[in-house]
Amino acid sequence: MTASALRDFSRLCLHTMTTKPWSIETAIARYAAAGVKGITVWRQWLDGKDPKGVGQMARDAGLEIVSYCRGGFFPARDRQGQQAAIDDNRMIIDEAEALGTQLIVLVCGAVPGQPLSDSRGQIRDGIGAVLDHARSAGIRLGIEPLHPMYADERSAINTIRQANDLSDFLQDPLVGVVVDVYHLWWDPDLQKEIRRAGQAGRLFAFHICDWLTPTEDLLNDRGLMGDGCINLREIRGWVEDAGFKGFNEVEIFSNRWWQQDQDVFLEAIKKAYLAVS
Ligand code: ZN
């Protein structure tokens, strides 16, 4: 089923990466003033900051901290590297708890030249190794499958089916799936696997943007909703049919938009959100 139009901004969340030129203080102030209700904080925005203080600032401004982005990057060439990744993820869990969010987005990682099957095993073991820590912090871990063009160095988890299978294997209510339309829109199994995630109670987050033609940069040329070819409203319908009631998180990495006035960009996001999301 195709979802009905969104009428207000009560479920609109922005990733701090979307307005990359803005500091965390500016992002919080401008989002709140624009009527945005959610914020997903990327880790580099906390550099040199007290996560607890940033979390309080966001809540005081009326923003819910939807998630902390990002943990993961578990695969490594040797045991030492794998252990370092596990230690880093424990620290990320502590930061998320201090920030006051209940979800960490996992970009699972990959190592160029290392067989993907090896990386997937390390991802499974890495998540398993931090689960107790996540449990004591009350933090959920959302596996975000990335488009296969990133299988070399960003994620060996490339389809929602893989994320569901991994969640099935780990069998923990803290482990679930993040649906990002940019990574998954092409998948013929998308509707079926979204339903599967919903039935298992593990549909944790929904990220939106658009796919531009031609895409000029593999990482930083995402489009504003409606400027590309993703069947966004249809996918949102599937996500809502699967029981998801959370935020629509706008996550746009765009060299084009980052060169613009970010207040103009924010207004364009709001307009596109109501028109096409
Ligand atoms: Zn995403």
Side-chain angles (χ1 to χ4, degrees), residues 144 180 183 207 222 251:
E144 178 169 0
D180 185 323
H183 298 299
H207 297 174
R222 297 187 184 195
E251 184 188 21

Side-chain angles (χ1 to χ4, degrees), residues 137-203:
I139 301 281
R140 298 187 298 168
L141 305 173
I143 300 166
E144 178 169 0
L146 260 51
H147 190 283
M149 69 179 169
Y150 302 118
D152 57 344
E153 60 179 357
R154 287 180 188 274
S155 182
I157 305 296
N158 306 104
T159 65
I160 181 174
R161 182 178 168 184
Q162 286 177 303
N164 272 324
D165 288 349
L166 181 52
S167 302
D168 273 350
F169 180 86
L170 290 164
Q171 278 297 330
D172 193 301
L174 291 176
V175 178
V177 173
V178 173
V179 171
D180 185 323
V181 297
Y182 192 74
H183 298 299
L184 302 179
W185 69 281
W186 55 272
D187 186 342
D189 291 330
L190 184 55
Q191 182 178 14
K192 186 176 81 181
E193 292 292 329
I194 284 174
R195 193 181 303 133
R196 177 181 164 199
Q199 279 166 354
R202 64 165 80 109
L203 201 46

